[in-house]
Amino acid sequence: MSTTKLKVIGGRIGIANAFARMPFRFGVVTMEAAASATLELEVFVDGKPVLGYASDLLAYKWFDKRPEKTPADNVADLLWVVEEALAVARNLPEGSLFTLWRQLDEEVDRRAVAAGFNRLGASFGVSMVERAIIDALGRATGQSFFGMVRGNAFGIDGGAVFPELAGMSPASILAEKPLERIGLRHTVGLVDPIEAGDIASADRLDDGLPETLADYIEQDDLSYLKIKISGDPGSDMARLERIAGLMDRTGRAFALTLDGNEQYSRLEEFAALMDAIRGNPALDRFYDAILFIEQPLERSVALSAPLDPRALKTIGKPLLIDEADGWTSAYHEAIALGYHGVSHKNCKGVIRSLLNAMIAETRNREAGPGVYFQSAEDLTCLPVVSLQADLAVVAALGITHVERNGHHYFHGLEHLPAREAEAALAAHPDLYRREGSSIVTAINGGALDIASLQVPGMGFACLPDLGQRTRAADWTFDSLNKSDAGHAGTGD
């Protein structure tokens, strides 16, 4: 186990606005712009100062879906929790990453709940600091994320959190090498156009990128889809029939996942939708292609009681938790209630995902391969830092396909200063390509090529410039007004 000692000195947050090329709806909100927050963290690694970075969208109405909270409230809460995590981290004594993470996780969780936020939101604050520390450690020691996990540079002791993991090394969940290619699972949002007729001629973007699901299937050669469910049985069935019809007409083989987005308060209600799907001959191939179903139950009830066995039998597909995975032991608790899977998202925590992978591995020793599992979900990880850090973790975990739609809703790397976009293309030519005057995510045969992510740190060789972003204290939610759309950075 590594004896590398880490001490957080301080950090700063910069924000760039990202304006969507088309609106996207998930759950209860339709979003047209979002703030991308980047954390620059100074860490002493064995006494030497190193900078590490983490980045994510400040996604409103996902971490906290309470109707009384406005999108502006949500973003303010997320910035607050990152600042709280920074304050906690600065006061922690020197220690291994795992030791720092455990203390950070416990204290930020306590503070968030006491302040009226929630545990999922607390996880976001922890994860931003955690990822930046990991990045700094990798840069200081010259190790990739995969290399750090293989050598347990984080000092993870799973048995200290879950006794069943005692003596288990994080390396035991790794393949011989990280994935160099990951299938792209394209999300079909609730207002996404399915075919050309869904877009009025005056509303077409004609920006050189695909716009409809049919476009994406054809141009990107997709074989994985993730389909959002609204909770309205009539509209859901009509929409699923349209999607299934398009799939059938392509003649391609697809694998699907469904995302319930917490739209149900009772599992029996969701089971009724699945029963209707199973009873519809036009959806036979569609149902057979479903791999798993992501959190249909609202988070306040998702882990409140064992899942009804009759409803599970009707559904006939494994369920996983996503929004309910708001604290370190959530997946462990979910398994006891009848869930099989859990989503990996960097925004919920990297150490948590490693522990969850270890839990699934131990359970599968008795249950059989793949019974318990992790998926890779994160709708709008944007280049460079957020996207590549998440993909670096997915590659290490060996998850072969990933939900990834930032390239659909946002136009390439246009939310970044031009110098950063050019640096990303130069450092990671497998993941990006030039499209006219833009630099965009490269999708080849329905997959992302990511061999270039095996670099020191969290998967990105080019660093963000916080001088080209707005200080968090100077940023306002009103700046997301679409009429102000333009270059998201403050320079170039």
Side-chain angles (χ1 to χ4, degrees):
M1 184 177 294
S2 171
T3 57
T4 302
K5 300 297 183 183
L6 305 166
K7 177 73 177 78
V8 174
I9 305 305
R12 57 177 178 151
I13 301 168
I15 298 180
N17 290 340
F19 295 94
R21 60 186 284 262
M22 58 176 62
F24 63 98
R25 180 181 165 202
F26 56 101
V28 298
V29 69
T30 299
M31 185 181 291
E32 295 188 65
S36 176
T38 298
L39 171 64
E40 179 182 82
L41 195 68
E42 184 177 9
V43 183
F44 278 175
V45 181
D46 280 341
K48 297 180 180 179
V50 184
L51 295 178
Y53 297 88
S55 182
D56 248 319
L57 284 186
L58 300 174
Y60 44 86
K61 294 300 178 183
W62 187 78
F63 292 97
D64 190 339
K65 298 180 182 179
R66 289 176 291 178
E68 65 270 24
K69 287 281 189 175
T70 67
D73 292 336
N74 287 161
V75 173
D77 287 342
L78 290 171
L79 282 171
W80 171 82
V81 81
V82 176
E83 294 282 9
E84 286 294 296
L86 268 173
V88 172
R90 279 194 299 265
N91 290 324
L92 293 176
E94 184 181 63
S96 71
L97 187 139
F98 183 67
T99 300
L100 296 180
W101 169 78
R102 290 193 73 192
Q103 297 173 82
L104 184 67
D105 189 48
E106 180 179 350
E107 178 60 15
V108 175
D109 183 81
R110 186 194 67 77
R111 291 188 184 195
V113 172
F117 199 18
N118 62 44
R119 303 183 78 181
L120 184 64
S123 298
F124 177 74
V126 173
S127 80
M128 284 286 282
V129 173
E130 168 196 25
R131 281 177 273 161
I133 299 174
I134 292 172
D135 188 51
L137 175 60
R139 294 183 189 282
T141 60
Q143 298 179 83
S144 67
F145 179 79
F146 183 85
M148 287 187 279
V149 177
R150 178 175 286 281
N152 200 10
F154 307 151
I156 292 175
D157 176 9
V161 184
F162 302 107
E164 68 195 81
L165 304 183
M168 185 177 185
S169 167
S172 65
I173 64 171
L174 301 181
E176 184 176 335
K177 62 180 183 178
L179 297 175
E180 296 184 350
R181 186 172 168 84
I182 296 177
L184 187 147
R185 185 153 38 89
H186 180 90
T187 297
V188 188
L190 293 172
V191 296
D192 284 3
I194 307 302
E195 299 183 86
D198 296 332
I199 308 177
S201 58
D203 295 331
R204 291 201 68 87
L205 298 174
D206 292 325
D207 59 359
L209 299 178
E211 296 184 48
T212 68
L213 175 59
D215 293 339
Y216 276 100
I217 289 174
E218 180 63 29
Q219 296 181 40
D220 290 344
D221 196 20
L222 299 176
S223 55
Y224 293 98
L225 299 177
K226 170 173 172 170
I227 300 167
K228 298 277 187 178
I229 301 297
S230 72
D232 180 321
S235 63
D236 280 336
M237 285 296 291
R239 180 166 159 272
L240 295 181
E241 286 180 4
R242 289 195 64 210
I243 294 170
L246 172 63
M247 291 163 48
D248 288 344
R249 290 194 298 276
T250 68
R252 299 171 184 263
F254 291 92
L256 311 175
T257 67
L258 298 185
D259 184 1
N261 262 127
E262 301 186 271
Q263 296 301 304
Y264 296 85
S265 59
R266 298 174 61 248
L267 191 61
E268 294 82 357
E269 296 169 348
F270 179 71
L273 173 68
M274 294 301 293
D275 192 44
I277 292 172
R278 296 179 76 171
N280 186 334
L283 295 176
D284 282 348
R285 291 181 61 196
F286 182 94
Y287 177 82
D288 289 344
I290 297 172
L291 301 174
F292 58 80
I293 295 160
E294 189 178 343
Q295 188 144 0
L297 291 177
E298 195 271 323
R299 72 188 71 172
S300 68
V301 299
L303 301 183
S304 62
L307 299 176
D308 183 342
R310 292 169 298 179
L312 288 177
K313 184 176 180 181
T314 299
I315 293 167
K317 302 289 182 177
L319 301 187
L320 66 79
I321 59 168
D322 180 33
E323 291 94 339
D325 180 29
W327 57 94
T328 297
S329 63
Y331 180 44
H332 195 271
E333 297 169 26
I335 288 174
L337 299 176
Y339 292 92
H340 284 220
V342 63
S343 63
H344 157 73
K345 290 182 175 179
N346 267 7
C347 67
K348 296 191 297 182
V350 174
I351 301 298
R352 178 184 300 174
S353 282
L354 292 172
L355 291 173
N356 285 343
M358 295 165 71
I359 291 169
E361 175 67 20
T362 59
R363 296 303 178 97
N364 285 339
R365 290 172 184 172
E366 293 187 8
V371 173
Y372 298 99
F373 63 95
Q374 277 182 308
S375 69
E377 317 289 330
D378 216 338
L379 182 64
T380 51
C381 284
L382 296 185
V384 167
V385 174
S386 175
L387 173 66
Q388 293 182 210
D390 192 68
L391 289 173
V393 178
V394 173
L397 292 171
I399 304 173
T400 57
H401 55 92
V402 58
E403 177 198 18
R404 199 89 326 156
N405 262 47
H407 62 280
H408 172 48
Y409 296 115
F410 296 89
H411 195 288
L413 280 65
E414 290 187 358
H415 60 287
L416 297 176
R419 284 197 298 268
E420 291 184 29
E422 291 291 344
L425 177 61
H428 303 283
D430 53 350
L431 185 57
Y432 304 111
R433 62 178 171 82
R434 200 177 298 280
E435 180 75 30
S437 61
S438 300
I439 297 171
V440 301
T441 304
I443 302 164
N444 300 302
L448 301 171
D449 292 311
I450 55 169
S452 69
L453 273 56
Q454 299 308 313
V455 295
M458 282 291 287
F460 45 94
C462 42
L463 303 182
D465 179 0
L466 265 69
Q468 298 296 303
R469 287 159 175 78
T470 303
R471 291 192 319 141
D474 298 331
W475 180 85
T476 65
F477 188 84
D478 288 344
S479 67
L480 292 176
N481 187 304
K482 191 68 175 178
S483 65
D484 297 331
H487 194 279
T490 60
D492 287 333

